Amino acid sequence: MESNLLGISFAGLSLENPTILASGILGYTAESLKRVAKGGAGAVVTKSIGASPRAGYPNPTVVQAEAGLLNAMGLPNPGIDVYSEEIKYAKTVLRVPLFVSVFGYSADEYASVASKAVEAGADAVELNVSCPHVKQTGAEIGQSPKFLSEVVEKTKAAVNKPLIVKLSPNVADITVLAQAAIEAGADALTAVNTLKAMAIDTETMMPILSNVKGGLSGPAIKPVALRCVFDIAEQFEVPIIGCGGITDWRDAVEFFLAGASAVEIGTAVADDDEVFRTICRGIETYLRKKHYGSVKEIVGLAHRK
Amino acid sequence: MPTANNAIRMTEIVNVRTESPTVKTFTFTDRLCGKAKPGQFVMLWLPGIDEIPLSIMDVNNGLVSVSVKAVGDATRHMHNMEAGTLVGVRGPFGNSFIESRGRVLLVGGGTGTAPLLFLAKQLSAKTERLSFVEGAKTKDELLFVRELDGICSGKNLITTTEDGTAGLQCLVTQPLGELLDKERFDMIYTCGPEVMVKKIFEMTEQRKLPLEASLERLMRCGIGLCGSCVIGKYRVCRDGPVFTAAQLREVADELGISKLGFDGSRIPV
């Protein structure tokens, strides 16, 4: 059976397969998350949730780039108090682990939102310390080892579930931030969030996104994300979730070989909500062909010297 | 992933036509949207203002028309636009109405009539009979009456207004009930305020009649990623905007009741 080859466990979580819905894609409602889970995801991550409601930015919030997508949604979310009800409902309809993505404007806020998410039933918390387009949160925290450790430490103390820290690629050396997160108590890392980017229209001579700058996702960023995972895996033992431009099984396998234990898929979901199942089948075929008994056996193999 | 229809194309508004005191039709050139089917929509970028989803009202030789009611900042801004204004276009997006033969009935409310006019034009030569029921608040807001009158050859067009200034003084659902009981229809299409759509859905369900309804939700990405426009498990931008009776049954607890607001919380429709 598939689950024998693809089943993984990390940071105390058991997943039937290593493909996970990335945060920000669908992810508001339990019904949307259920649909993605039915498409074969081994776990799902919600939209990033904060302490209070946020409407996000006006459109355009999405612009197509050469080999990917730029977005600056602006962290729209209903706030954890309202969203707790959705988490509770999601837990009744989902048969895969539910990760709640959390952001805040201070370490205390991160900790408080995370604690409420866990209280409502989150199986794990993923800290968004890497959103590149909202001021005073996200990457503005995740780019500073000092702020990052404070946030991770406080949140870790507030929750009794696995704490995953989603890192930003918009730094000189991602391993410095990885180390800060690990030392502050992160159980796993997700690498990476979107790359800070922009688009300009030549006719109007204006930036297209209403927020001017946003985050680039999709195939364009895959080689960057892969390098980030490789760099972290080279130095640390921590479980890593690879994220960035994964579209097919070959992309996923590259991330495993670089050192990821699981992968998150986002942009590719728009075109095919069965993308998780398709990728899992491909990974399975690859493992059989290469005579491996489990996806766990290929994690980090690209580091062999 | 990158697709031709999701790339922004800059184009000029070539014509603006006033349809009613609150509705104007804007026409622009776009090769891809020029091939759009009835029911599909475009994302129109108004540089510096907003980007909004708009149903396509007509395509003709590469010319694309959208009818817009001034209801918010972006649409009020559009009403001040003149020919020559530069806009960005993405699309066409979404599915479309499935063409039916035989006897068809279209029910439009307010600007919901726009995509149905596009559909009616395509269906008129192919169907045995085409009937149209159109409702509005008042006479001035009854859209495209002359065009529809031509397509429906007069007697198959019923108009209603809430204030009785034109047609029957009632909601569209009143003559619709009589029509559905009196005549046989092979397909019913509707677009309009969601409370109206819900009522029509209940009426066709009671009579076990097929229905296709175009729905509206807050939209951001237009390509099925952001989740802003979901109803039940469906994304209106990608799985819709046109839904069958079978799909509407699956989302009956949200249809005409709730949608997601800008912050993703559930708000009344």
Side-chain angles (χ1 to χ4, degrees), chain B residues 15-27 57 65-68 79 111 117 139-147:
Chain B
N15 190 48
V16 182
R17 191 174 73 211
T18 300
E19 306 285 1
S20 83
T22 57
V23 177
K24 286 186 180 182
T25 294
F26 300 85
T27 302
M57 186 274 270
S65 297
V66 290
S67 297
V68 183
H79 272 238
T111 43
L117 171 63
K139 184 184 177 188
D140 281 347
E141 296 297 328
L142 273 175
L143 301 171
F144 315 118
V145 175
R146 200 161 39 83
E147 291 91 329

PDB file of all heavy atoms in Angstrom, chain B residues 15-27 57 65-68 79 111 117 139-147:
ATOM      1  N   ASN B  15     -15.449  52.351 -26.160  1.00  0.00           N
ATOM      2  CA  ASN B  15     -16.794  52.918 -26.175  1.00  0.00           C
ATOM      3  C   ASN B  15     -17.443  52.817 -24.798  1.00  0.00           C
ATOM      4  O   ASN B  15     -17.227  51.845 -24.074  1.00  0.00           O
ATOM      5  CB  ASN B  15     -17.657  52.179 -27.208  1.00  0.00           C
ATOM      6  CG  ASN B  15     -18.983  52.873 -27.438  1.00  0.00           C
ATOM      7  OD1 ASN B  15     -19.039  54.092 -27.638  1.00  0.00           O
ATOM      8  ND2 ASN B  15     -20.068  52.122 -27.350  1.00  0.00           N
ATOM      9  N   VAL B  16     -18.197  53.837 -24.447  1.00  0.00           N
ATOM     10  CA  VAL B  16     -18.972  53.813 -23.196  1.00  0.00           C
ATOM     11  C   VAL B  16     -20.417  54.136 -23.563  1.00  0.00           C
ATOM     12  O   VAL B  16     -20.681  55.117 -24.262  1.00  0.00           O
ATOM     13  CB  VAL B  16     -18.457  54.871 -22.190  1.00  0.00           C
ATOM     14  CG1 VAL B  16     -19.257  54.790 -20.888  1.00  0.00           C
ATOM     15  CG2 VAL B  16     -16.969  54.697 -21.913  1.00  0.00           C
ATOM     16  N   ARG B  17     -21.321  53.283 -23.115  1.00  0.00           N
ATOM     17  CA  ARG B  17     -22.745  53.504 -23.436  1.00  0.00           C
ATOM     18  C   ARG B  17     -23.548  53.519 -22.134  1.00  0.00           C
ATOM     19  O   ARG B  17     -23.354  52.664 -21.271  1.00  0.00           O
ATOM     20  CB  ARG B  17     -23.240  52.372 -24.343  1.00  0.00           C
ATOM     21  CG  ARG B  17     -24.612  52.618 -24.949  1.00  0.00           C
ATOM     22  CD  ARG B  17     -24.973  51.545 -25.950  1.00  0.00           C
ATOM     23  NE  ARG B  17     -25.288  50.289 -25.274  1.00  0.00           N
ATOM     24  CZ  ARG B  17     -25.070  49.079 -25.796  1.00  0.00           C
ATOM     25  NH1 ARG B  17     -24.511  48.954 -26.987  1.00  0.00           N
ATOM     26  NH2 ARG B  17     -25.394  48.002 -25.122  1.00  0.00           N
ATOM     27  N   THR B  18     -24.423  54.469 -22.001  1.00  0.00           N
ATOM     28  CA  THR B  18     -25.267  54.531 -20.805  1.00  0.00           C
ATOM     29  C   THR B  18     -26.489  53.654 -21.012  1.00  0.00           C
ATOM     30  O   THR B  18     -27.227  53.823 -21.975  1.00  0.00           O
ATOM     31  CB  THR B  18     -25.692  55.994 -20.526  1.00  0.00           C
ATOM     32  OG1 THR B  18     -24.500  56.761 -20.325  1.00  0.00           O
ATOM     33  CG2 THR B  18     -26.563  56.081 -19.285  1.00  0.00           C
ATOM     34  N   GLU B  19     -26.678  52.690 -20.103  1.00  0.00           N
ATOM     35  CA  GLU B  19     -27.811  51.774 -20.227  1.00  0.00           C
ATOM     36  C   GLU B  19     -28.980  52.207 -19.351  1.00  0.00           C
ATOM     37  O   GLU B  19     -30.133  51.940 -19.657  1.00  0.00           O
ATOM     38  CB  GLU B  19     -27.402  50.349 -19.814  1.00  0.00           C
ATOM     39  CG  GLU B  19     -26.173  49.799 -20.542  1.00  0.00           C
ATOM     40  CD  GLU B  19     -26.469  49.377 -21.972  1.00  0.00           C
ATOM     41  OE1 GLU B  19     -27.619  49.523 -22.429  1.00  0.00           O
ATOM     42  OE2 GLU B  19     -25.531  48.890 -22.638  1.00  0.00           O
ATOM     43  N   SER B  20     -28.632  52.805 -18.210  1.00  0.00           N
ATOM     44  CA  SER B  20     -29.648  53.232 -17.247  1.00  0.00           C
ATOM     45  C   SER B  20     -28.988  54.282 -16.367  1.00  0.00           C
ATOM     46  O   SER B  20     -27.787  54.520 -16.484  1.00  0.00           O
ATOM     47  CB  SER B  20     -30.113  52.044 -16.401  1.00  0.00           C
ATOM     48  OG  SER B  20     -29.208  51.821 -15.337  1.00  0.00           O
ATOM     49  N   PRO B  21     -29.754  54.918 -15.481  1.00  0.00           N
ATOM     50  CA  PRO B  21     -29.119  55.928 -14.615  1.00  0.00           C
ATOM     51  C   PRO B  21     -27.954  55.373 -13.791  1.00  0.00           C
ATOM     52  O   PRO B  21     -27.079  56.130 -13.379  1.00  0.00           O
ATOM     53  CB  PRO B  21     -30.264  56.374 -13.699  1.00  0.00           C
ATOM     54  CG  PRO B  21     -31.505  56.098 -14.490  1.00  0.00           C
ATOM     55  CD  PRO B  21     -31.210  54.868 -15.295  1.00  0.00           C
ATOM     56  N   THR B  22     -27.921  54.059 -13.568  1.00  0.00           N
ATOM     57  CA  THR B  22     -26.834  53.515 -12.736  1.00  0.00           C
ATOM     58  C   THR B  22     -25.968  52.492 -13.454  1.00  0.00           C
ATOM     59  O   THR B  22     -25.028  51.969 -12.863  1.00  0.00           O
ATOM     60  CB  THR B  22     -27.398  52.834 -11.463  1.00  0.00           C
ATOM     61  OG1 THR B  22     -28.310  51.806 -11.877  1.00  0.00           O
ATOM     62  CG2 THR B  22     -28.118  53.822 -10.561  1.00  0.00           C
ATOM     63  N   VAL B  23     -26.269  52.182 -14.704  1.00  0.00           N
ATOM     64  CA  VAL B  23     -25.508  51.149 -15.415  1.00  0.00           C
ATOM     65  C   VAL B  23     -24.925  51.695 -16.713  1.00  0.00           C
ATOM     66  O   VAL B  23     -25.623  52.358 -17.489  1.00  0.00           O
ATOM     67  CB  VAL B  23     -26.386  49.903 -15.725  1.00  0.00           C
ATOM     68  CG1 VAL B  23     -25.601  48.872 -16.522  1.00  0.00           C
ATOM     69  CG2 VAL B  23     -26.912  49.279 -14.425  1.00  0.00           C
ATOM     70  N   LYS B  24     -23.624  51.421 -16.907  1.00  0.00           N
ATOM     71  CA  LYS B  24     -22.981  51.770 -18.174  1.00  0.00           C
ATOM     72  C   LYS B  24     -22.305  50.536 -18.758  1.00  0.00           C
ATOM     73  O   LYS B  24     -21.838  49.674 -18.002  1.00  0.00           O
ATOM     74  CB  LYS B  24     -21.921  52.867 -17.966  1.00  0.00           C
ATOM     75  CG  LYS B  24     -22.513  54.249 -17.728  1.00  0.00           C
ATOM     76  CD  LYS B  24     -21.415  55.306 -17.674  1.00  0.00           C
ATOM     77  CE  LYS B  24     -22.028  56.692 -17.445  1.00  0.00           C
ATOM     78  NZ  LYS B  24     -20.993  57.730 -17.449  1.00  0.00           N
ATOM     79  N   THR B  25     -22.240  50.488 -20.085  1.00  0.00           N
ATOM     80  CA  THR B  25     -21.542  49.386 -20.743  1.00  0.00           C
ATOM     81  C   THR B  25     -20.230  49.908 -21.318  1.00  0.00           C
ATOM     82  O   THR B  25     -20.214  50.928 -22.005  1.00  0.00           O
ATOM     83  CB  THR B  25     -22.423  48.776 -21.850  1.00  0.00           C
ATOM     84  OG1 THR B  25     -23.556  48.176 -21.241  1.00  0.00           O
ATOM     85  CG2 THR B  25     -21.654  47.716 -22.639  1.00  0.00           C
ATOM     86  N   PHE B  26     -19.148  49.199 -20.989  1.00  0.00           N
ATOM     87  CA  PHE B  26     -17.809  49.576 -21.444  1.00  0.00           C
ATOM     88  C   PHE B  26     -17.315  48.532 -22.437  1.00  0.00           C
ATOM     89  O   PHE B  26     -17.407  47.330 -22.171  1.00  0.00           O
ATOM     90  CB  PHE B  26     -16.846  49.645 -20.253  1.00  0.00           C
ATOM     91  CG  PHE B  26     -17.271  50.661 -19.226  1.00  0.00           C
ATOM     92  CD1 PHE B  26     -18.193  50.329 -18.238  1.00  0.00           C
ATOM     93  CD2 PHE B  26     -16.775  51.958 -19.270  1.00  0.00           C
ATOM     94  CE1 PHE B  26     -18.602  51.269 -17.302  1.00  0.00           C
ATOM     95  CE2 PHE B  26     -17.177  52.903 -18.335  1.00  0.00           C
ATOM     96  CZ  PHE B  26     -18.094  52.565 -17.352  1.00  0.00           C
ATOM     97  N   THR B  27     -16.794  49.002 -23.562  1.00  0.00           N
ATOM     98  CA  THR B  27     -16.324  48.085 -24.589  1.00  0.00           C
ATOM     99  C   THR B  27     -14.831  48.298 -24.824  1.00  0.00           C
ATOM    100  O   THR B  27     -14.355  49.440 -24.835  1.00  0.00           O
ATOM    101  CB  THR B  27     -17.119  48.315 -25.890  1.00  0.00           C
ATOM    102  OG1 THR B  27     -18.506  48.124 -25.606  1.00  0.00           O
ATOM    103  CG2 THR B  27     -16.702  47.328 -26.977  1.00  0.00           C
ATOM    104  N   MET B  57     -20.735  40.783 -21.075  1.00  0.00           N
ATOM    105  CA  MET B  57     -22.100  40.999 -21.571  1.00  0.00           C
ATOM    106  C   MET B  57     -22.198  40.689 -23.055  1.00  0.00           C
ATOM    107  O   MET B  57     -23.257  40.313 -23.553  1.00  0.00           O
ATOM    108  CB  MET B  57     -22.498  42.455 -21.284  1.00  0.00           C
ATOM    109  CG  MET B  57     -23.925  42.804 -21.609  1.00  0.00           C
ATOM    110  SD  MET B  57     -24.101  43.274 -23.340  1.00  0.00           S
ATOM    111  CE  MET B  57     -23.829  45.017 -23.213  1.00  0.00           C
ATOM    112  N   SER B  65     -17.590  43.518 -24.194  1.00  0.00           N
ATOM    113  CA  SER B  65     -18.365  44.493 -23.441  1.00  0.00           C
ATOM    114  C   SER B  65     -18.727  43.971 -22.061  1.00  0.00           C
ATOM    115  O   SER B  65     -19.049  42.803 -21.894  1.00  0.00           O
ATOM    116  CB  SER B  65     -19.661  44.843 -24.184  1.00  0.00           C
ATOM    117  OG  SER B  65     -19.349  45.457 -25.421  1.00  0.00           O
ATOM    118  N   VAL B  66     -18.645  44.878 -21.089  1.00  0.00           N
ATOM    119  CA  VAL B  66     -19.071  44.566 -19.719  1.00  0.00           C
ATOM    120  C   VAL B  66     -20.033  45.671 -19.268  1.00  0.00           C
ATOM    121  O   VAL B  66     -19.823  46.844 -19.568  1.00  0.00           O
ATOM    122  CB  VAL B  66     -17.872  44.481 -18.746  1.00  0.00           C
ATOM    123  CG1 VAL B  66     -17.028  43.255 -19.029  1.00  0.00           C
ATOM    124  CG2 VAL B  66     -17.005  45.741 -18.793  1.00  0.00           C
ATOM    125  N   SER B  67     -21.098  45.267 -18.584  1.00  0.00           N
ATOM    126  CA  SER B  67     -22.063  46.240 -18.079  1.00  0.00           C
ATOM    127  C   SER B  67     -21.864  46.381 -16.581  1.00  0.00           C
ATOM    128  O   SER B  67     -21.816  45.389 -15.865  1.00  0.00           O
ATOM    129  CB  SER B  67     -23.487  45.789 -18.388  1.00  0.00           C
ATOM    130  OG  SER B  67     -23.653  45.742 -19.788  1.00  0.00           O
ATOM    131  N   VAL B  68     -21.720  47.624 -16.143  1.00  0.00           N
ATOM    132  CA  VAL B  68     -21.279  47.863 -14.773  1.00  0.00           C
ATOM    133  C   VAL B  68     -22.226  48.801 -14.047  1.00  0.00           C
ATOM    134  O   VAL B  68     -22.515  49.897 -14.526  1.00  0.00           O
ATOM    135  CB  VAL B  68     -19.866  48.506 -14.788  1.00  0.00           C
ATOM    136  CG1 VAL B  68     -19.347  48.700 -13.374  1.00  0.00           C
ATOM    137  CG2 VAL B  68     -18.901  47.656 -15.602  1.00  0.00           C
ATOM    138  N   HIS B  79     -17.589  54.681 -13.888  1.00  0.00           N
ATOM    139  CA  HIS B  79     -18.637  55.488 -14.514  1.00  0.00           C
ATOM    140  C   HIS B  79     -18.137  56.858 -14.952  1.00  0.00           C
ATOM    141  O   HIS B  79     -18.778  57.516 -15.772  1.00  0.00           O
ATOM    142  CB  HIS B  79     -19.845  55.601 -13.572  1.00  0.00           C
ATOM    143  CG  HIS B  79     -20.806  54.471 -13.745  1.00  0.00           C
ATOM    144  ND1 HIS B  79     -22.125  54.640 -14.074  1.00  0.00           N
ATOM    145  CD2 HIS B  79     -20.610  53.130 -13.676  1.00  0.00           C
ATOM    146  CE1 HIS B  79     -22.707  53.447 -14.184  1.00  0.00           C
ATOM    147  NE2 HIS B  79     -21.809  52.525 -13.936  1.00  0.00           N
ATOM    148  N   THR B 111     -28.435  43.785 -12.878  1.00  0.00           N
ATOM    149  CA  THR B 111     -27.324  43.623 -13.831  1.00  0.00           C
ATOM    150  C   THR B 111     -27.047  42.152 -14.130  1.00  0.00           C
ATOM    151  O   THR B 111     -26.264  41.843 -15.015  1.00  0.00           O
ATOM    152  CB  THR B 111     -26.028  44.270 -13.302  1.00  0.00           C
ATOM    153  OG1 THR B 111     -25.895  43.930 -11.924  1.00  0.00           O
ATOM    154  CG2 THR B 111     -26.032  45.756 -13.483  1.00  0.00           C
ATOM    155  N   LEU B 117     -28.054  38.128 -21.442  1.00  0.00           N
ATOM    156  CA  LEU B 117     -28.267  38.677 -22.787  1.00  0.00           C
ATOM    157  C   LEU B 117     -27.254  38.041 -23.747  1.00  0.00           C
ATOM    158  O   LEU B 117     -27.597  37.636 -24.862  1.00  0.00           O
ATOM    159  CB  LEU B 117     -28.097  40.204 -22.762  1.00  0.00           C
ATOM    160  CG  LEU B 117     -28.090  40.890 -24.132  1.00  0.00           C
ATOM    161  CD1 LEU B 117     -29.428  40.696 -24.854  1.00  0.00           C
ATOM    162  CD2 LEU B 117     -27.790  42.384 -24.001  1.00  0.00           C
ATOM    163  N   LYS B 139     -38.614  51.063 -13.705  1.00  0.00           N
ATOM    164  CA  LYS B 139     -38.544  51.060 -15.167  1.00  0.00           C
ATOM    165  C   LYS B 139     -37.144  51.401 -15.703  1.00  0.00           C
ATOM    166  O   LYS B 139     -36.630  50.738 -16.598  1.00  0.00           O
ATOM    167  CB  LYS B 139     -39.568  52.060 -15.721  1.00  0.00           C
ATOM    168  CG  LYS B 139     -39.640  52.074 -17.234  1.00  0.00           C
ATOM    169  CD  LYS B 139     -40.594  53.149 -17.741  1.00  0.00           C
ATOM    170  CE  LYS B 139     -40.580  53.164 -19.276  1.00  0.00           C
ATOM    171  NZ  LYS B 139     -41.310  54.280 -19.829  1.00  0.00           N
ATOM    172  N   ASP B 140     -36.551  52.463 -15.134  1.00  0.00           N
ATOM    173  CA  ASP B 140     -35.239  52.925 -15.594  1.00  0.00           C
ATOM    174  C   ASP B 140     -34.169  51.845 -15.465  1.00  0.00           C
ATOM    175  O   ASP B 140     -33.152  51.889 -16.142  1.00  0.00           O
ATOM    176  CB  ASP B 140     -34.782  54.125 -14.754  1.00  0.00           C
ATOM    177  CG  ASP B 140     -35.457  55.413 -15.215  1.00  0.00           C
ATOM    178  OD1 ASP B 140     -36.060  55.377 -16.303  1.00  0.00           O
ATOM    179  OD2 ASP B 140     -35.379  56.409 -14.478  1.00  0.00           O
ATOM    180  N   GLU B 141     -34.383  50.912 -14.540  1.00  0.00           N
ATOM    181  CA  GLU B 141     -33.363  49.890 -14.279  1.00  0.00           C
ATOM    182  C   GLU B 141     -33.583  48.601 -15.068  1.00  0.00           C
ATOM    183  O   GLU B 141     -32.800  47.659 -14.944  1.00  0.00           O
ATOM    184  CB  GLU B 141     -33.299  49.573 -12.778  1.00  0.00           C
ATOM    185  CG  GLU B 141     -32.865  50.755 -11.903  1.00  0.00           C
ATOM    186  CD  GLU B 141     -31.461  51.228 -12.212  1.00  0.00           C
ATOM    187  OE1 GLU B 141     -30.615  50.390 -12.587  1.00  0.00           O
ATOM    188  OE2 GLU B 141     -31.201  52.449 -12.110  1.00  0.00           O
ATOM    189  N   LEU B 142     -34.641  48.533 -15.824  1.00  0.00           N
ATOM    190  CA  LEU B 142     -34.862  47.354 -16.676  1.00  0.00           C
ATOM    191  C   LEU B 142     -33.874  47.431 -17.835  1.00  0.00           C
ATOM    192  O   LEU B 142     -33.977  48.321 -18.680  1.00  0.00           O
ATOM    193  CB  LEU B 142     -36.288  47.330 -17.216  1.00  0.00           C
ATOM    194  CG  LEU B 142     -37.372  46.678 -16.355  1.00  0.00           C
ATOM    195  CD1 LEU B 142     -38.727  46.867 -17.028  1.00  0.00           C
ATOM    196  CD2 LEU B 142     -37.111  45.200 -16.101  1.00  0.00           C
ATOM    197  N   LEU B 143     -32.917  46.519 -17.871  1.00  0.00           N
ATOM    198  CA  LEU B 143     -31.828  46.619 -18.851  1.00  0.00           C
ATOM    199  C   LEU B 143     -32.119  45.815 -20.117  1.00  0.00           C
ATOM    200  O   LEU B 143     -32.755  44.763 -20.058  1.00  0.00           O
ATOM    201  CB  LEU B 143     -30.531  46.106 -18.227  1.00  0.00           C
ATOM    202  CG  LEU B 143     -30.038  46.815 -16.967  1.00  0.00           C
ATOM    203  CD1 LEU B 143     -28.882  46.048 -16.346  1.00  0.00           C
ATOM    204  CD2 LEU B 143     -29.628  48.252 -17.287  1.00  0.00           C
ATOM    205  N   PHE B 144     -31.630  46.339 -21.220  1.00  0.00           N
ATOM    206  CA  PHE B 144     -31.606  45.610 -22.497  1.00  0.00           C
ATOM    207  C   PHE B 144     -32.990  45.151 -22.974  1.00  0.00           C
ATOM    208  O   PHE B 144     -33.104  44.123 -23.638  1.00  0.00           O
ATOM    209  CB  PHE B 144     -30.670  44.396 -22.403  1.00  0.00           C
ATOM    210  CG  PHE B 144     -29.350  44.689 -21.741  1.00  0.00           C
ATOM    211  CD1 PHE B 144     -28.979  44.053 -20.567  1.00  0.00           C
ATOM    212  CD2 PHE B 144     -28.487  45.631 -22.284  1.00  0.00           C
ATOM    213  CE1 PHE B 144     -27.770  44.329 -19.946  1.00  0.00           C
ATOM    214  CE2 PHE B 144     -27.265  45.918 -21.675  1.00  0.00           C
ATOM    215  CZ  PHE B 144     -26.913  45.263 -20.502  1.00  0.00           C
ATOM    216  N   VAL B 145     -34.014  45.908 -22.658  1.00  0.00           N
ATOM    217  CA  VAL B 145     -35.379  45.471 -23.016  1.00  0.00           C
ATOM    218  C   VAL B 145     -35.543  45.381 -24.538  1.00  0.00           C
ATOM    219  O   VAL B 145     -36.105  44.424 -25.057  1.00  0.00           O
ATOM    220  CB  VAL B 145     -36.437  46.420 -22.402  1.00  0.00           C
ATOM    221  CG1 VAL B 145     -37.838  46.040 -22.887  1.00  0.00           C
ATOM    222  CG2 VAL B 145     -36.370  46.359 -20.882  1.00  0.00           C
ATOM    223  N   ARG B 146     -34.983  46.365 -25.240  1.00  0.00           N
ATOM    224  CA  ARG B 146     -35.127  46.370 -26.701  1.00  0.00           C
ATOM    225  C   ARG B 146     -34.429  45.150 -27.326  1.00  0.00           C
ATOM    226  O   ARG B 146     -34.993  44.450 -28.150  1.00  0.00           O
ATOM    227  CB  ARG B 146     -34.552  47.677 -27.280  1.00  0.00           C
ATOM    228  CG  ARG B 146     -35.035  48.032 -28.660  1.00  0.00           C
ATOM    229  CD  ARG B 146     -34.808  49.531 -28.948  1.00  0.00           C
ATOM    230  NE  ARG B 146     -33.531  50.000 -28.416  1.00  0.00           N
ATOM    231  CZ  ARG B 146     -32.349  49.852 -29.050  1.00  0.00           C
ATOM    232  NH1 ARG B 146     -32.305  49.274 -30.227  1.00  0.00           N
ATOM    233  NH2 ARG B 146     -31.245  50.313 -28.506  1.00  0.00           N
ATOM    234  N   GLU B 147     -33.205  44.870 -26.871  1.00  0.00           N
ATOM    235  CA  GLU B 147     -32.464  43.729 -27.404  1.00  0.00           C
ATOM    236  C   GLU B 147     -33.192  42.425 -27.104  1.00  0.00           C
ATOM    237  O   GLU B 147     -33.326  41.560 -27.960  1.00  0.00           O
ATOM    238  CB  GLU B 147     -31.054  43.649 -26.783  1.00  0.00           C
ATOM    239  CG  GLU B 147     -30.096  44.763 -27.201  1.00  0.00           C
ATOM    240  CD  GLU B 147     -30.138  45.959 -26.259  1.00  0.00           C
ATOM    241  OE1 GLU B 147     -31.200  46.232 -25.674  1.00  0.00           O
ATOM    242  OE2 GLU B 147     -29.086  46.623 -26.110  1.00  0.00           O
TER     243      GLU B 147
END
